[in-house]
Amino acid sequence: MTLLKDINSPSDLRQLTRAQLKPLADELRAFVLNSVSKTGGHLSSNLGTVELTIALHYVFNTPEDRLVWDVGHQTYPHKILTGRRDQMHTLRQLNGISGFPRRAESEFDTFGTAHSSTSISAALGMAVAAKTKGESRHSVAIIGDGSMTAGMAFEALNNAGVMEDVNLLVVLNDNDMSISPPVGALNRYLARLMSGKFYAAAKNVGKSMLPPPMREIAKRFEEHAKGMIMPATLFEEFGFNYIGPIDGHDLDALIPTLQNLKELKGPQFLHVVTKKGQGYKLAEADPVLYHGPGKFNPDEGIQPSPSGKITYTRIFGDWLCDMAAQDPRLIGITPAMREGSGMVDFEQQFPDRYYDVGIAEQHSVTFAAGLAAEGLKPVVAIYSTFLQRAYDQLIHDVALQNLDVTFALDRAGLVGADGATHAGNYDLAYLRCIPNMVIMAASDENECRQMLSTGFHYNGPAAIRYPRGAGIGAEVSRELTTLPLGKGEIVRHGERIAIFAFGTMVKPALDAAEKLNATVANMRFVKPVDTELIRHLADTHDMLVSVEEGAKMGGAGSAVAETLAGLGVAKPLLILGLPDEFIDHGDAGQLLALCGLDSAGILKSIQHHLDQTDLPSGVEPRRMVNKFK
């Protein structure tokens, strides 16, 4: 590095000459590639935003001018240029920097993001705040074409388009690639725009829309070119001044265009075209594979990993194909997560029954409700954290009408390196309060498959939660068997202490129980919870423990407590789960241990609780624990 090593803030960047920016971009791209290959993280998207990031920080007076990055997994160049270059080796690791913008991490991260389509709303709020406070600064939202498929982006455009006195710039980073291939009418519109015969002329307008007296001529030519490409530009109908499309890797186009837009008042819209994986041929050829890789050798590229334990995502994908072959009413739905949710094979085998609705979680749920209302059996494959975005639809459109929709909740519980924004910590709490819902938590791969079949055959809304990554190595039956509704099972018989374990906590609970000679129940169902099993274990044990990989406030442990109260049973109950705080990024195993949800943590919590609890006469807490060590 000859230039990048001296860039510790955007003010340093703005000291460079225009001629130095291209070699800086080359250094920055190489640094991103080298850094991500050592830590893992998002790669394709960040290689594609190098020049755009440089241009934005070069033209705008950041952090006084606000940059709001949509989703945020495209901000590694931004982090490197804003003083975090020397921290990139800690990316997404415990106590390291986040893979997404975080307000607490840097003043240049003006708004925390990680879910899509929030940038325009947030930047508009900042622009209105500046106007209200009498401050002269700009707000810039950088949003990808994938994120533009979500309704929230258009709600913000609709609001902003009538505000002629705010300094708002929306930059559409059009790389023809969300995580999964982009879908829908908007993508088709952008494709037509890009393929128009006047595209080249329109792109060159960005370079020529500069100094007077050429500005007026350029503007007239631009309007003519845009009109030939499309009779009415969608974004201009929303009230924005639309410029583009221009080459997002051409600094000689980007910088003059941004400088010109900076002088304009009112809502502006700049359409830039970039390429995911730009500058790294392997990522350019397969941007999905290189979207979020682990560690790899850049010279060799990502190599196939040795086959090991099967992932829960694969369990779901195989089940979906098997059940679809058996029941022609099954419809598979994903909100733009085909690969992440394991639906590639399903799309290939059942293309007429596969629907990717784009990044539109709300729509995905109500779309499923409409299908169910007509007698079909939709399966919505959605990450736990993304179902939060469709909570109203889940209640109002599905559960209230008791419609037969199955929700496959991937990434439930802690997800590791993606951190708090992607952790599925709240589904048990926010689902179990909804009438008509059935909720299951899988303890291993085979049980996950059985639960999916159980939820599918239940005549109403059902959710099956399972974690990210591989299971425990359980043998998986190819049969599409179901489980008795609302029934758990005792998986270890012991004395005095009974542990109600939910989902992923069954294995560490069993390990802890070996030291305690405790009974362990695999509860399976969070709703309806197995009342008979709870009553039986309460009657035959002196102390009760519940453990779940989810927020303990309102979660599965609360269900146990409510059941005991309803039965009129007064027994010591220790509820273990995730604390009432957001859990940061890091290795998932490390995070579970820090939360006391590994076997050692469960054992320690029970020991401590025994010391603090008045047990029935004749029970000696320390001897009861130590005897079985």
Side-chain angles (χ1 to χ4, degrees):
M1 297 186 297
T2 58
L3 295 170
L4 186 59
K5 64 180 177 61
D6 294 323
I7 305 297
N8 297 306
S9 74
S11 59
D12 297 326
L13 170 67
R14 291 189 281 270
Q15 300 303 309
L16 299 181
T17 66
R18 286 271 299 275
Q20 291 175 299
L21 297 184
K22 178 60 172 68
L24 175 66
D26 294 338
E27 290 184 23
L28 182 55
R29 180 167 282 110
F31 188 89
V32 168
L33 175 59
N34 183 63
S35 178
V36 175
S37 71
K38 289 181 169 60
T39 63
H42 295 96
L43 182 61
S44 298
S45 55
N46 284 289
L47 293 176
T49 57
V50 168
E51 287 84 5
L52 179 59
T53 304
I54 289 173
L56 287 167
H57 280 295
Y58 193 76
V59 171
F60 290 96
N61 183 32
T62 54
E64 177 64 20
D65 290 330
R66 313 298 201 227
L67 300 185
V68 181
W69 297 87
D70 211 282
V71 179
H73 62 239
Q74 57 185 333
T75 55
Y76 297 0
H78 161 81
K79 287 177 178 280
I80 294 165
L81 293 176
T82 54
R84 286 165 279 182
R85 180 185 66 249
D86 293 339
Q87 296 173 270
M88 286 297 290
H89 69 282
T90 71
L91 183 74
R92 293 158 47 94
Q93 298 171 47
L94 188 63
N95 300 321
I97 62 173
S98 171
F100 303 96
R102 295 184 64 184
R103 285 172 55 84
E105 190 176 290
S106 170
E107 64 178 335
F108 293 93
D109 292 357
T110 61
F111 197 79
T113 58
H115 290 189
S116 80
S117 315
T118 62
S119 61
I120 304 176
S121 296
L124 177 60
M126 293 175 180
V128 170
K131 184 189 75 169
T132 302
K133 296 190 293 184
E135 298 172 353
S136 179
R137 54 181 169 79
H138 295 81
S139 296
V140 183
I142 306 98
I143 184 168
D145 55 311
S147 295
M148 284 298 297
T149 62
M152 186 175 178
F154 284 89
E155 292 172 16
L157 289 174
N158 182 61
N159 189 198
V162 296
M163 298 186 185
E164 299 179 356
D165 55 348
V166 296
N167 292 327
L168 175 68
L169 169 62
V170 175
V171 178
L172 172 60
N173 177 24
D174 181 1
N175 54 35
D176 196 35
M177 190 70 227
S178 46
I179 298 174
S180 294
V183 295
L186 177 65
N187 180 66
R188 291 181 181 176
Y189 159 76
L190 293 173
R192 287 199 304 273
L193 191 67
M194 296 305 302
S195 62
K197 60 184 178 180
F198 277 91
Y199 163 59
K203 183 172 72 171
N204 288 331
V205 167
K207 299 180 181 180
S208 60
M209 59 166 292
L210 295 170
M214 295 302 294
R215 185 175 300 166
E216 185 60 30
I217 297 173
K219 181 178 179 182
R220 290 177 183 175
F221 181 73
E222 176 195 10
E223 293 300 322
H224 174 72
K226 286 191 295 184
M228 293 298 291
I229 295 172
M230 200 71 182
T233 302
L234 172 66
F235 303 107
E236 289 185 338
E237 293 300 319
F238 272 102
F240 281 74
N241 175 42
Y242 173 91
I243 301 297
I246 66 171
D247 186 347
H249 299 298
D250 185 349
L251 288 164
D252 290 332
L254 279 172
I255 290 176
T257 303
L258 289 170
Q259 288 173 332
N260 189 65
L261 287 169
K262 187 178 178 181
E263 302 303 316
L264 301 179
K265 298 296 183 182
Q268 309 293 321
F269 194 102
L270 175 62
H271 183 174
V272 303
V273 181
T274 61
K275 185 177 183 63
K276 271 200 170 182
Q278 173 75 8
Y280 182 50
K281 296 301 181 184
L282 294 174
E284 290 180 15
D286 195 345
V288 173
L289 177 64
Y290 286 86
H291 169 73
K295 300 176 184 179
F296 69 100
N297 184 335
D299 295 330
E300 299 176 357
I302 298 173
Q303 301 298 310
S305 59
S307 59
K309 297 176 182 176
I310 190 170
T311 66
Y312 281 97
T313 300
R314 178 63 184 273
I315 292 290
F316 167 73
D318 291 345
W319 170 86
L320 190 66
C321 293
D322 293 343
M323 185 59 78
Q326 184 180 100
D327 193 331
R329 297 173 297 168
L330 186 151
I331 304 293
I333 301 168
T334 176
M337 296 301 291
R338 180 186 66 179
E339 290 80 10
S341 293
M343 298 183 72
V344 174
D345 290 345
F346 178 78
E347 181 197 19
Q348 294 171 350
Q349 295 181 37
F350 303 96
D352 295 335
R353 293 154 64 185
Y354 166 83
Y355 292 91
D356 182 345
V357 301
I359 304 178
E361 293 87 358
Q362 294 176 334
H363 165 62
S364 73
V365 173
T366 304
F367 173 53
L371 290 166
E374 295 297 326
L376 296 179
K377 293 182 71 66
V379 176
V380 180
I382 189 168
Y383 291 6
S384 169
T385 184
F386 296 146
L387 184 59
Q388 296 165 187
R389 312 190 87 195
Y391 194 54
D392 177 62
Q393 289 70 27
L394 179 64
I395 296 174
H396 183 275
D397 300 335
V398 176
L400 183 62
Q401 304 182 91
N402 200 26
L403 290 172
D404 190 3
V405 180
T406 303
F407 295 92
L409 305 187
D410 204 335
R411 271 65 165 178
L414 296 173
V415 294
D418 281 337
T421 56
H422 283 61
N425 296 351
Y426 311 106
D427 51 69
L428 296 182
Y430 72 66
L431 288 175
R432 60 176 293 264
C433 63
I434 303 175
N436 296 326
M437 286 293 305
V438 166
I439 310 163
M440 291 167 267
S443 66
D444 63 37
E445 303 92 319
N446 191 55
E447 191 169 77
C448 182
R449 184 176 171 90
Q450 292 175 315
M451 287 180 172
L452 288 164
S453 295
T454 304
F456 184 77
H457 288 301
Y458 171 71
N459 187 26
I464 302 90
R465 77 176 327 236
Y466 46 93
R468 179 177 188 170
I472 63 174
E475 183 177 351
V476 179
S477 170
R478 299 303 301 177
E479 300 297 319
L480 293 169
T481 56
T482 60
L483 298 171
L485 191 67
K487 294 298 180 183
E489 63 172 351
I490 296 177
V491 292
R492 187 188 191 281
H493 290 275
E495 298 177 344
R496 294 177 174 169
I497 301 172
I499 303 175
F500 303 106
F502 294 85
T504 55
M505 291 293 99
V506 171
K507 178 64 168 62
L510 282 169
D511 293 340
E514 289 295 325
K515 304 282 194 351
L516 299 164
N517 192 26
T519 295
V520 177
N522 172 14
M523 295 302 290
R524 288 179 168 167
F525 289 82
V526 178
K527 186 177 182 181
V529 72
D530 192 336
T531 301
E532 292 181 6
L533 183 56
I534 293 174
R535 182 199 296 271
H536 169 67
L537 294 180
D539 288 344
T540 55
H541 293 75
D542 298 312
M543 175 183 169
L544 306 176
V545 181
S546 75
V547 57
E548 64 196 285
E549 190 180 346
K552 64 181 180 181
M553 293 187 68
S558 295
V560 174
E562 291 162 13
T563 301
L564 291 170
L567 293 171
V569 175
K571 280 284 175 73
L573 173 64
L574 171 63
I575 298 177
L576 301 179
L578 296 175
D580 184 27
E581 61 188 64
F582 292 109
I583 311 299
D584 220 338
H585 52 271
D587 176 79
Q590 286 181 306
L591 298 178
L592 284 171
L594 288 173
C595 294
L597 293 180
D598 60 349
S599 59
I602 293 171
L603 178 62
K604 182 178 179 180
S605 294
I606 294 174
Q607 289 175 321
H608 178 74
H609 194 69
L610 285 168
D611 289 341
Q612 304 299 316
T613 304
D614 291 329
L615 293 177
S617 177
V619 178
E620 299 181 40
R622 286 194 179 277
R623 188 187 308 167
M624 187 169 68
V625 174
N626 295 334
K627 176 180 177 182
F628 299 101
K629 282 188 177 179

